[in-house]
Every structure is written in structure tokens, then in C-alpha cells.
Amino acid sequence: MDTTLTYLHDLCESALHMARTGDTSLANRIGANPALAHYFHNVHNLKALTPAAWAQIYPHYLNEASRIHAEAEQPASFDARLAAIESQLEKLLELLSERV
């Protein structure tokens, strides 16, 4: 839960920073998702709720945010796994070329 709340905070900060520099794409994507938009408006901007209270009162939104957070981290994990596999394949090719 804490990592998701940290992710939401950082996401909102990034969206505001980007919007201030003229790029509203991230803010628009946040606004299009009910869970993210609810957090953005009620916790980050209005400060009507603390992040912990929001998580407790709106567990369905927290679950959606956790899913989004996991998906956001997946490409980095995938890239790392792919790089490891490529490294192993290169070693295997070297060993095979030595035997030929």
C-alpha cells in the first residue's frame, strides 16, 4: 500500500510539473481514470484526505491504483529480464562458436 501511495504522489507531482511546462498529457491520463482522478483531486490538490485515509475509505480505488502501479513497473522488469536473457544467449553463442 505504501509503495502505491508513494507512486500516486509522485505521479501527481509529475503531472503538475509537466502541465506547468505546457504538457498536459499525463494530467489528462490521470483525469481519465476514476481512481487516479479521485486521488489527484481529493488527496493531492484539495488535501481533503490524507493518503492513508483515502486508501482506507476507498479500497477499490487503491486496488485500481495498485494495478496501474504494477503495470507501470512491469516494462522495466521486462527490459531487465530481456537483457539478462540476451546476455545468456550471447554467452551460449560464444561457447558454440568455440566448439565449431
Side-chain angles (χ1 to χ4, degrees):
M1 176 175 77
D2 289 338
T3 58
T4 298
L5 294 176
T6 300
Y7 169 77
L8 287 172
H9 173 78
D10 294 346
L11 184 69
C12 292
E13 285 293 313
S14 294
L16 288 175
H17 175 74
M18 289 172 64
R20 288 182 186 119
T21 60
D23 182 357
T24 60
S25 60
L26 183 55
N28 290 337
R29 287 194 331 229
I30 288 173
N33 181 286
L36 300 181
H38 193 269
Y39 181 91
F40 185 76
H41 294 301
N42 294 292
V43 178
H44 197 77
N45 289 340
L46 296 176
K47 306 212 184 317
L49 296 165
T50 65
W54 181 83
Q56 185 177 20
I57 297 169
Y58 301 100
H60 55 292
Y61 283 160
L62 179 64
N63 290 339
E64 173 66 6
S66 295
R67 184 191 62 76
I68 292 167
H69 179 212
E71 284 181 6
E73 288 184 340
Q74 189 174 13
S77 171
F78 177 78
D79 290 344
R81 289 187 338 174
L82 184 60
I85 291 169
E86 287 174 343
S87 172
Q88 292 299 319
L89 284 174
E90 287 175 13
K91 289 177 186 176
L92 182 58
L93 287 173
E94 287 175 16
L95 289 171
L96 288 173
S97 67
E98 290 173 3
R99 292 184 183 246
V100 172

